Amino acid sequence: MWVILKIDNKKFGLLKNDFQKKTGQNFIFYKPKLKVSKYINNKLVNKKIDLLGDYIFCYNKLFSEQKIINLLKFSVGLKYILNGFIPYQSEIETFIKKCKTVEDKDGFISSSLSTCKENENYQFLSGPFVKKFFKILNLKDTKIKILLGGIETY
């Protein structure tokens, strides 16, 4: 059963050890991450971002028992366990599967998770138009019509 934990990211290693020490069980943790590349002062800077901030998913079959949750509630590095996770197991599993299908070889979520939409505003992260905003007017198979500073272009 999956649960959602709010953790102290600096103490994540301690949390894993504490869970195993208290129960003698192995737990599966899933923490989706993004890798964002930006140009700052003509240098490409890579930044790792946790997709859910300080929330993570944790799986163990013992989470169906309330006494196990009560035992783990005061673990080192754990802020709290979100309540009400039992009826949402299928949605949690679907989200995790979708994230895992779009991960690259390093475990980062690729940009294919999000899709571009017409009439939405976006920002260039690199190139000659860095930090400039544009609006997608029309999406075709191999062409995108955008509005950039009052000028429509493909």
Short mmCIF file of all heavy atoms in Angstrom, two decimals, residues 10-70:
data_model
loop_
_atom_site.label_atom_id
_atom_site.label_comp_id
_atom_site.label_asym_id
_atom_site.label_seq_id
_atom_site.Cartn_x
_atom_site.Cartn_y
_atom_site.Cartn_z
N LYS A 10 16.70 16.92 4.20
CA LYS A 10 18.07 16.77 4.70
C LYS A 10 18.25 15.50 5.52
O LYS A 10 19.36 15.01 5.68
CB LYS A 10 18.47 17.99 5.54
CG LYS A 10 18.52 19.27 4.74
CD LYS A 10 18.80 20.45 5.63
CE LYS A 10 18.75 21.74 4.82
NZ LYS A 10 18.89 22.91 5.67
N LYS A 11 17.15 14.95 6.03
CA LYS A 11 17.21 13.77 6.88
C LYS A 11 16.58 12.55 6.22
O LYS A 11 16.15 11.62 6.90
CB LYS A 11 16.50 14.06 8.21
CG LYS A 11 17.16 15.16 9.00
CD LYS A 11 16.43 15.42 10.29
CE LYS A 11 17.08 16.56 11.06
NZ LYS A 11 16.33 16.90 12.26
N PHE A 12 16.54 12.53 4.89
CA PHE A 12 15.90 11.43 4.17
C PHE A 12 16.61 10.10 4.43
O PHE A 12 15.97 9.06 4.61
CB PHE A 12 15.84 11.73 2.67
CG PHE A 12 15.17 10.67 1.87
CD1 PHE A 12 13.89 10.25 2.18
CD2 PHE A 12 15.81 10.10 0.80
CE1 PHE A 12 13.26 9.27 1.43
CE2 PHE A 12 15.20 9.11 0.05
CZ PHE A 12 13.91 8.70 0.37
N GLY A 13 17.92 10.10 4.47
CA GLY A 13 18.68 8.88 4.75
C GLY A 13 18.38 8.33 6.14
O GLY A 13 18.24 7.12 6.34
N LEU A 14 18.29 9.24 7.11
CA LEU A 14 17.94 8.82 8.48
C LEU A 14 16.53 8.24 8.54
O LEU A 14 16.27 7.28 9.27
CB LEU A 14 18.05 10.00 9.44
CG LEU A 14 19.45 10.58 9.65
CD1 LEU A 14 19.38 11.87 10.45
CD2 LEU A 14 20.35 9.57 10.33
N LEU A 15 15.62 8.81 7.76
CA LEU A 15 14.25 8.32 7.73
C LEU A 15 14.20 6.88 7.20
O LEU A 15 13.54 6.02 7.79
CB LEU A 15 13.39 9.23 6.85
CG LEU A 15 11.95 8.77 6.62
CD1 LEU A 15 11.12 8.98 7.86
CD2 LEU A 15 11.34 9.49 5.45
N LYS A 16 14.92 6.62 6.12
CA LYS A 16 14.94 5.26 5.56
C LYS A 16 15.47 4.26 6.58
O LYS A 16 14.89 3.19 6.78
CB LYS A 16 15.80 5.21 4.29
CG LYS A 16 15.18 5.89 3.11
CD LYS A 16 15.79 5.44 1.81
CE LYS A 16 16.94 6.26 1.38
NZ LYS A 16 17.43 5.92 0.04
N ASN A 17 16.57 4.62 7.24
CA ASN A 17 17.15 3.72 8.24
C ASN A 17 16.21 3.51 9.43
O ASN A 17 16.09 2.40 9.94
CB ASN A 17 18.49 4.27 8.74
CG ASN A 17 19.55 4.22 7.68
OD1 ASN A 17 19.47 3.44 6.73
ND2 ASN A 17 20.54 5.08 7.81
N ASP A 18 15.54 4.57 9.85
CA ASP A 18 14.64 4.48 10.99
C ASP A 18 13.43 3.59 10.68
O ASP A 18 13.00 2.80 11.51
CB ASP A 18 14.19 5.88 11.40
CG ASP A 18 13.72 5.96 12.84
OD1 ASP A 18 14.11 5.09 13.65
OD2 ASP A 18 12.97 6.89 13.16
N PHE A 19 12.88 3.72 9.47
CA PHE A 19 11.76 2.87 9.06
C PHE A 19 12.16 1.39 9.10
O PHE A 19 11.44 0.56 9.61
CB PHE A 19 11.29 3.23 7.66
CG PHE A 19 10.24 4.32 7.61
CD1 PHE A 19 10.14 5.28 8.59
CD2 PHE A 19 9.37 4.37 6.55
CE1 PHE A 19 9.18 6.27 8.53
CE2 PHE A 19 8.40 5.36 6.47
CZ PHE A 19 8.30 6.30 7.45
N GLN A 20 13.35 1.09 8.56
CA GLN A 20 13.79 -0.30 8.52
C GLN A 20 14.10 -0.82 9.92
O GLN A 20 13.79 -1.96 10.25
CB GLN A 20 15.00 -0.45 7.61
CG GLN A 20 15.38 -1.90 7.39
CD GLN A 20 16.44 -2.07 6.33
OE1 GLN A 20 17.09 -1.12 5.94
NE2 GLN A 20 16.61 -3.29 5.89
N LYS A 21 14.69 0.01 10.74
CA LYS A 21 15.04 -0.40 12.11
C LYS A 21 13.78 -0.69 12.94
O LYS A 21 13.74 -1.66 13.70
CB LYS A 21 15.85 0.71 12.78
CG LYS A 21 16.51 0.30 14.08
CD LYS A 21 17.18 1.47 14.79
CE LYS A 21 18.13 2.23 13.90
NZ LYS A 21 18.74 3.38 14.59
N LYS A 22 12.75 0.13 12.78
CA LYS A 22 11.54 -0.04 13.58
C LYS A 22 10.70 -1.25 13.15
O LYS A 22 10.01 -1.84 13.98
CB LYS A 22 10.67 1.22 13.51
CG LYS A 22 11.23 2.36 14.32
CD LYS A 22 10.32 3.57 14.25
CE LYS A 22 10.88 4.69 15.13
NZ LYS A 22 10.03 5.88 15.09
N THR A 23 10.74 -1.60 11.85
CA THR A 23 9.85 -2.66 11.37
C THR A 23 10.60 -3.91 10.90
O THR A 23 9.99 -4.96 10.79
CB THR A 23 8.98 -2.17 10.21
OG1 THR A 23 9.83 -1.80 9.12
CG2 THR A 23 8.10 -1.01 10.63
N GLY A 24 11.87 -3.78 10.55
CA GLY A 24 12.61 -4.89 9.98
C GLY A 24 12.23 -5.17 8.54
O GLY A 24 12.61 -6.19 7.97
N GLN A 25 11.49 -4.28 7.92
CA GLN A 25 11.00 -4.44 6.55
C GLN A 25 11.74 -3.48 5.62
O GLN A 25 12.25 -2.45 6.05
CB GLN A 25 9.50 -4.11 6.49
CG GLN A 25 8.63 -5.02 7.29
CD GLN A 25 8.32 -6.29 6.54
OE1 GLN A 25 8.18 -6.28 5.33
NE2 GLN A 25 8.23 -7.39 7.27
N ASN A 26 11.75 -3.83 4.34
CA ASN A 26 12.26 -2.92 3.32
C ASN A 26 11.09 -2.12 2.77
O ASN A 26 10.00 -2.65 2.57
CB ASN A 26 12.94 -3.69 2.20
CG ASN A 26 14.28 -4.24 2.62
OD1 ASN A 26 14.96 -3.63 3.44
ND2 ASN A 26 14.65 -5.38 2.09
N PHE A 27 11.33 -0.86 2.52
CA PHE A 27 10.32 0.04 1.99
C PHE A 27 10.76 0.52 0.62
O PHE A 27 11.95 0.66 0.36
CB PHE A 27 10.12 1.25 2.92
CG PHE A 27 9.51 0.89 4.24
CD1 PHE A 27 10.30 0.41 5.28
CD2 PHE A 27 8.16 1.02 4.43
CE1 PHE A 27 9.73 0.07 6.50
CE2 PHE A 27 7.58 0.68 5.65
CZ PHE A 27 8.37 0.21 6.68
N ILE A 28 9.79 0.79 -0.24
CA ILE A 28 10.08 1.36 -1.56
C ILE A 28 9.71 2.84 -1.48
O ILE A 28 8.57 3.19 -1.17
CB ILE A 28 9.25 0.66 -2.65
CG1 ILE A 28 9.62 -0.82 -2.71
CG2 ILE A 28 9.47 1.34 -4.00
CD1 ILE A 28 8.70 -1.63 -3.59
N PHE A 29 10.69 3.70 -1.76
CA PHE A 29 10.46 5.13 -1.76
C PHE A 29 10.49 5.62 -3.20
O PHE A 29 11.32 5.18 -4.00
CB PHE A 29 11.54 5.86 -0.96
CG PHE A 29 11.51 5.55 0.51
CD1 PHE A 29 12.29 4.55 1.05
CD2 PHE A 29 10.67 6.27 1.35
CE1 PHE A 29 12.25 4.26 2.40
CE2 PHE A 29 10.63 5.99 2.71
CZ PHE A 29 11.42 4.98 3.23
N TYR A 30 9.60 6.53 -3.53
CA TYR A 30 9.61 7.13 -4.87
C TYR A 30 9.49 8.64 -4.73
O TYR A 30 8.57 9.17 -4.10
CB TYR A 30 8.48 6.61 -5.74
CG TYR A 30 8.55 7.16 -7.13
CD1 TYR A 30 9.61 6.85 -7.97
CD2 TYR A 30 7.57 8.03 -7.61
CE1 TYR A 30 9.70 7.38 -9.24
CE2 TYR A 30 7.65 8.56 -8.88
CZ TYR A 30 8.71 8.23 -9.69
OH TYR A 30 8.81 8.76 -10.95
N LYS A 31 10.48 9.32 -5.33
CA LYS A 31 10.59 10.77 -5.25
C LYS A 31 10.84 11.28 -6.67
O LYS A 31 11.98 11.28 -7.13
CB LYS A 31 11.76 11.08 -4.33
CG LYS A 31 11.94 12.47 -3.90
CD LYS A 31 13.20 12.54 -3.05
CE LYS A 31 13.16 13.59 -2.02
NZ LYS A 31 14.40 13.71 -1.29
N PRO A 32 9.80 11.69 -7.41
CA PRO A 32 10.01 12.16 -8.78
C PRO A 32 10.82 13.47 -8.82
O PRO A 32 10.60 14.36 -8.02
CB PRO A 32 8.60 12.36 -9.33
CG PRO A 32 7.72 12.43 -8.14
CD PRO A 32 8.41 11.73 -7.03
N LYS A 33 11.78 13.51 -9.77
CA LYS A 33 12.68 14.67 -9.88
C LYS A 33 12.67 15.21 -11.31
O LYS A 33 12.48 14.46 -12.26
CB LYS A 33 14.11 14.27 -9.54
CG LYS A 33 14.29 13.67 -8.17
CD LYS A 33 15.70 13.17 -7.99
CE LYS A 33 15.85 11.95 -8.84
NZ LYS A 33 16.78 10.97 -8.52
N LEU A 34 12.91 16.50 -11.43
CA LEU A 34 13.07 17.17 -12.71
C LEU A 34 14.48 17.71 -12.82
O LEU A 34 15.08 18.09 -11.81
CB LEU A 34 12.11 18.36 -12.84
CG LEU A 34 10.63 18.09 -12.96
CD1 LEU A 34 9.87 19.40 -12.88
CD2 LEU A 34 10.32 17.40 -14.26
N LYS A 35 14.99 17.74 -14.03
CA LYS A 35 16.29 18.37 -14.28
C LYS A 35 16.03 19.55 -15.20
O LYS A 35 15.54 19.38 -16.32
CB LYS A 35 17.23 17.38 -14.94
CG LYS A 35 18.64 17.87 -15.09
CD LYS A 35 19.45 16.80 -15.79
CE LYS A 35 20.88 16.85 -15.46
NZ LYS A 35 21.63 15.80 -16.15
N VAL A 36 16.31 20.75 -14.72
CA VAL A 36 16.06 21.96 -15.47
C VAL A 36 17.40 22.56 -15.88
O VAL A 36 18.28 22.74 -15.04
CB VAL A 36 15.25 22.98 -14.63
CG1 VAL A 36 15.05 24.26 -15.38
CG2 VAL A 36 13.93 22.38 -14.21
N SER A 37 17.53 22.86 -17.15
CA SER A 37 18.74 23.49 -17.68
C SER A 37 18.42 24.92 -18.07
O SER A 37 17.44 25.16 -18.78
CB SER A 37 19.26 22.73 -18.89
OG SER A 37 19.56 21.41 -18.55
N LYS A 38 19.23 25.85 -17.60
CA LYS A 38 19.04 27.26 -17.89
C LYS A 38 20.38 27.90 -18.23
O LYS A 38 21.40 27.49 -17.71
CB LYS A 38 18.49 27.97 -16.65
CG LYS A 38 17.04 28.23 -16.63
CD LYS A 38 16.70 28.93 -15.34
CE LYS A 38 15.75 30.05 -15.58
NZ LYS A 38 15.21 30.61 -14.36
N TYR A 39 20.33 28.91 -19.06
CA TYR A 39 21.53 29.68 -19.33
C TYR A 39 21.57 30.87 -18.37
O TYR A 39 20.65 31.67 -18.32
CB TYR A 39 21.55 30.20 -20.77
CG TYR A 39 22.06 29.16 -21.74
CD1 TYR A 39 21.17 28.38 -22.46
CD2 TYR A 39 23.42 28.96 -21.91
CE1 TYR A 39 21.63 27.42 -23.34
CE2 TYR A 39 23.89 28.00 -22.79
CZ TYR A 39 22.99 27.24 -23.50
OH TYR A 39 23.44 26.29 -24.37
N ILE A 40 22.63 30.96 -17.59
CA ILE A 40 22.85 32.09 -16.71
C ILE A 40 24.24 32.63 -17.01
O ILE A 40 25.23 31.91 -16.89
CB ILE A 40 22.74 31.67 -15.22
CG1 ILE A 40 21.33 31.15 -14.93
CG2 ILE A 40 23.09 32.84 -14.31
CD1 ILE A 40 21.15 30.60 -13.54
N ASN A 41 24.31 33.87 -17.44
CA ASN A 41 25.58 34.51 -17.84
C ASN A 41 26.31 33.67 -18.89
O ASN A 41 27.50 33.40 -18.77
CB ASN A 41 26.48 34.74 -16.62
CG ASN A 41 25.86 35.71 -15.65
OD1 ASN A 41 25.10 36.59 -16.04
ND2 ASN A 41 26.17 35.55 -14.38
N ASN A 42 25.59 33.24 -19.92
CA ASN A 42 26.13 32.45 -21.03
C ASN A 42 26.70 31.11 -20.61
O ASN A 42 27.53 30.54 -21.29
CB ASN A 42 27.18 33.25 -21.81
CG ASN A 42 26.55 34.41 -22.54
OD1 ASN A 42 25.41 34.35 -22.95
ND2 ASN A 42 27.31 35.49 -22.68
N LYS A 43 26.29 30.59 -19.46
CA LYS A 43 26.71 29.26 -19.00
C LYS A 43 25.46 28.42 -18.76
O LYS A 43 24.49 28.90 -18.20
CB LYS A 43 27.53 29.34 -17.72
CG LYS A 43 28.87 29.98 -17.90
CD LYS A 43 29.65 29.97 -16.61
CE LYS A 43 30.99 30.65 -16.80
NZ LYS A 43 31.76 30.69 -15.57
N LEU A 44 25.52 27.17 -19.19
CA LEU A 44 24.41 26.26 -18.97
C LEU A 44 24.49 25.72 -17.55
O LEU A 44 25.47 25.11 -17.15
CB LEU A 44 24.46 25.10 -19.98
CG LEU A 44 23.29 24.13 -19.95
CD1 LEU A 44 21.99 24.84 -20.32
CD2 LEU A 44 23.54 22.98 -20.90
N VAL A 45 23.43 25.95 -16.78
CA VAL A 45 23.38 25.52 -15.39
C VAL A 45 22.26 24.50 -15.26
O VAL A 45 21.12 24.75 -15.67
CB VAL A 45 23.11 26.72 -14.45
CG1 VAL A 45 22.99 26.27 -13.02
CG2 VAL A 45 24.21 27.76 -14.59
N ASN A 46 22.59 23.32 -14.72
CA ASN A 46 21.60 22.28 -14.48
C ASN A 46 21.17 22.33 -13.02
O ASN A 46 21.99 22.40 -12.13
CB ASN A 46 22.17 20.89 -14.80
CG ASN A 46 22.44 20.73 -16.27
OD1 ASN A 46 21.66 21.16 -17.10
ND2 ASN A 46 23.55 20.10 -16.60
N LYS A 47 19.86 22.27 -12.82
CA LYS A 47 19.32 22.30 -11.47
C LYS A 47 18.38 21.12 -11.30
O LYS A 47 17.57 20.83 -12.17
CB LYS A 47 18.58 23.61 -11.24
CG LYS A 47 18.13 23.83 -9.84
CD LYS A 47 17.50 25.21 -9.68
CE LYS A 47 17.10 25.41 -8.24
NZ LYS A 47 16.48 26.70 -8.01
N LYS A 48 18.49 20.43 -10.16
CA LYS A 48 17.62 19.30 -9.85
C LYS A 48 16.50 19.79 -8.94
O LYS A 48 16.76 20.43 -7.93
CB LYS A 48 18.41 18.19 -9.17
CG LYS A 48 19.51 17.65 -10.03
CD LYS A 48 20.37 16.68 -9.27
CE LYS A 48 21.57 16.29 -10.11
NZ LYS A 48 22.51 15.47 -9.39
N ILE A 49 15.27 19.49 -9.32
CA ILE A 49 14.10 19.94 -8.57
C ILE A 49 13.25 18.73 -8.22
O ILE A 49 12.95 17.90 -9.08
CB ILE A 49 13.27 20.94 -9.40
CG1 ILE A 49 14.10 22.16 -9.77
CG2 ILE A 49 12.01 21.33 -8.66
CD1 ILE A 49 13.43 23.09 -10.74
N ASP A 50 12.87 18.63 -6.95
CA ASP A 50 11.92 17.60 -6.55
C ASP A 50 10.54 18.02 -7.03
O ASP A 50 10.07 19.11 -6.68
CB ASP A 50 11.92 17.40 -5.03
CG ASP A 50 13.20 16.77 -4.53
OD1 ASP A 50 13.77 15.94 -5.26
OD2 ASP A 50 13.63 17.11 -3.41
N LEU A 51 9.90 17.17 -7.81
CA LEU A 51 8.61 17.51 -8.40
C LEU A 51 7.55 17.78 -7.34
O LEU A 51 6.72 18.66 -7.51
CB LEU A 51 8.15 16.36 -9.32
CG LEU A 51 6.90 16.58 -10.13
CD1 LEU A 51 7.10 17.71 -11.13
CD2 LEU A 51 6.53 15.31 -10.87
N LEU A 52 7.60 17.08 -6.23
CA LEU A 52 6.58 17.23 -5.19
C LEU A 52 7.09 17.97 -3.95
O LEU A 52 6.48 17.90 -2.89
CB LEU A 52 6.07 15.84 -4.77
CG LEU A 52 5.47 15.01 -5.90
CD1 LEU A 52 5.11 13.63 -5.41
CD2 LEU A 52 4.25 15.70 -6.50
N GLY A 53 8.22 18.65 -4.08
CA GLY A 53 8.78 19.38 -2.94
C GLY A 53 9.26 18.43 -1.88
O GLY A 53 10.09 17.56 -2.13
N ASP A 54 8.73 18.55 -0.67
CA ASP A 54 9.17 17.67 0.41
C ASP A 54 8.18 16.53 0.67
O ASP A 54 8.13 15.97 1.75
CB ASP A 54 9.47 18.45 1.68
CG ASP A 54 8.36 19.37 2.12
OD1 ASP A 54 7.34 19.43 1.42
OD2 ASP A 54 8.51 20.03 3.15
N TYR A 55 7.38 16.18 -0.34
CA TYR A 55 6.50 15.02 -0.25
C TYR A 55 7.10 13.88 -1.05
O TYR A 55 7.69 14.09 -2.13
CB TYR A 55 5.11 15.33 -0.82
CG TYR A 55 4.33 16.29 0.04
CD1 TYR A 55 4.33 17.65 -0.22
CD2 TYR A 55 3.58 15.83 1.12
CE1 TYR A 55 3.61 18.53 0.56
CE2 TYR A 55 2.87 16.70 1.91
CZ TYR A 55 2.88 18.04 1.63
OH TYR A 55 2.18 18.90 2.42
N ILE A 56 6.97 12.65 -0.54
CA ILE A 56 7.43 11.47 -1.25
C ILE A 56 6.40 10.36 -1.10
O ILE A 56 5.53 10.42 -0.21
CB ILE A 56 8.81 10.96 -0.75
CG1 ILE A 56 8.73 10.53 0.71
CG2 ILE A 56 9.89 11.99 -0.96
CD1 ILE A 56 9.95 9.77 1.17
N PHE A 57 6.50 9.38 -1.97
CA PHE A 57 5.65 8.19 -1.88
C PHE A 57 6.45 7.08 -1.23
O PHE A 57 7.65 6.94 -1.47
CB PHE A 57 5.22 7.74 -3.27
CG PHE A 57 4.36 8.73 -4.00
CD1 PHE A 57 4.89 9.53 -4.99
CD2 PHE A 57 3.02 8.87 -3.68
CE1 PHE A 57 4.10 10.43 -5.66
CE2 PHE A 57 2.22 9.78 -4.34
CZ PHE A 57 2.76 10.56 -5.34
N CYS A 58 5.78 6.28 -0.43
CA CYS A 58 6.43 5.15 0.24
C CYS A 58 5.49 3.96 0.16
O CYS A 58 4.29 4.08 0.42
CB CYS A 58 6.74 5.50 1.68
SG CYS A 58 7.62 4.21 2.56
N TYR A 59 6.06 2.78 -0.21
CA TYR A 59 5.25 1.57 -0.35
C TYR A 59 5.72 0.48 0.60
O TYR A 59 6.92 0.23 0.74
CB TYR A 59 5.32 1.03 -1.78
CG TYR A 59 4.53 -0.23 -1.95
CD1 TYR A 59 3.16 -0.19 -2.17
CD2 TYR A 59 5.15 -1.47 -1.85
CE1 TYR A 59 2.43 -1.35 -2.30
CE2 TYR A 59 4.41 -2.64 -1.98
CZ TYR A 59 3.06 -2.57 -2.20
OH TYR A 59 2.33 -3.72 -2.32
N ASN A 60 4.75 -0.14 1.24
CA ASN A 60 4.97 -1.36 1.99
C ASN A 60 3.59 -1.97 2.24
O ASN A 60 2.63 -1.24 2.47
CB ASN A 60 5.68 -1.11 3.32
CG ASN A 60 6.19 -2.39 3.95
OD1 ASN A 60 5.42 -3.28 4.27
ND2 ASN A 60 7.49 -2.46 4.09
N LYS A 61 3.52 -3.29 2.20
CA LYS A 61 2.23 -3.95 2.40
C LYS A 61 1.70 -3.77 3.82
O LYS A 61 0.51 -3.90 4.07
CB LYS A 61 2.33 -5.43 2.05
CG LYS A 61 3.33 -6.19 2.88
CD LYS A 61 3.43 -7.63 2.43
CE LYS A 61 4.46 -8.33 3.30
NZ LYS A 61 5.56 -8.88 2.60
N LEU A 62 2.58 -3.42 4.76
CA LEU A 62 2.17 -3.25 6.16
C LEU A 62 1.40 -1.96 6.43
O LEU A 62 0.83 -1.79 7.50
CB LEU A 62 3.40 -3.27 7.07
CG LEU A 62 4.21 -4.56 7.10
CD1 LEU A 62 5.43 -4.38 7.98
CD2 LEU A 62 3.36 -5.71 7.61
N PHE A 63 1.38 -1.03 5.48
CA PHE A 63 0.70 0.26 5.71
C PHE A 63 -0.82 0.11 5.85
O PHE A 63 -1.49 1.05 6.23
CB PHE A 63 1.02 1.27 4.61
CG PHE A 63 2.39 1.86 4.75
CD1 PHE A 63 3.23 1.95 3.65
CD2 PHE A 63 2.84 2.35 5.96
CE1 PHE A 63 4.49 2.51 3.77
CE2 PHE A 63 4.10 2.90 6.09
CZ PHE A 63 4.92 2.98 4.99
N SER A 64 -1.35 -1.08 5.56
CA SER A 64 -2.79 -1.28 5.75
C SER A 64 -3.13 -1.42 7.24
O SER A 64 -4.28 -1.30 7.63
CB SER A 64 -3.26 -2.51 4.98
OG SER A 64 -2.55 -3.65 5.41
N GLU A 65 -2.11 -1.65 8.07
CA GLU A 65 -2.32 -1.79 9.52
C GLU A 65 -2.04 -0.45 10.22
O GLU A 65 -0.97 0.12 10.06
CB GLU A 65 -1.38 -2.86 10.07
CG GLU A 65 -1.55 -4.22 9.45
CD GLU A 65 -0.50 -5.21 9.91
OE1 GLU A 65 0.06 -5.01 11.01
OE2 GLU A 65 -0.24 -6.15 9.17
N GLN A 66 -3.00 0.00 10.98
CA GLN A 66 -2.88 1.29 11.68
C GLN A 66 -1.75 1.28 12.70
O GLN A 66 -1.10 2.31 12.92
CB GLN A 66 -4.21 1.66 12.34
CG GLN A 66 -4.23 3.06 12.94
CD GLN A 66 -4.05 4.15 11.91
OE1 GLN A 66 -4.55 4.06 10.80
NE2 GLN A 66 -3.31 5.18 12.27
N LYS A 67 -1.48 0.13 13.33
CA LYS A 67 -0.42 0.09 14.34
C LYS A 67 0.96 0.35 13.73
O LYS A 67 1.82 0.94 14.37
CB LYS A 67 -0.44 -1.23 15.09
CG LYS A 67 -0.09 -2.44 14.28
CD LYS A 67 -0.10 -3.69 15.13
CE LYS A 67 0.32 -4.89 14.27
NZ LYS A 67 0.43 -6.10 15.03
N ILE A 68 1.18 -0.04 12.47
CA ILE A 68 2.46 0.24 11.79
C ILE A 68 2.58 1.73 11.52
O ILE A 68 3.65 2.33 11.73
CB ILE A 68 2.57 -0.57 10.48
CG1 ILE A 68 2.60 -2.06 10.78
CG2 ILE A 68 3.78 -0.15 9.68
CD1 ILE A 68 3.78 -2.52 11.62
N ILE A 69 1.51 2.36 11.10
CA ILE A 69 1.54 3.81 10.85
C ILE A 69 1.80 4.56 12.15
O ILE A 69 2.59 5.50 12.19
CB ILE A 69 0.23 4.27 10.18
CG1 ILE A 69 0.18 3.67 8.77
CG2 ILE A 69 0.12 5.77 10.13
CD1 ILE A 69 -1.09 3.89 8.03
N ASN A 70 1.17 4.12 13.23
CA ASN A 70 1.41 4.75 14.54
C ASN A 70 2.85 4.55 15.00
O ASN A 70 3.43 5.43 15.63
CB ASN A 70 0.44 4.20 15.58
CG ASN A 70 -0.97 4.65 15.34
OD1 ASN A 70 -1.21 5.67 14.69
ND2 ASN A 70 -1.93 3.89 15.85
#
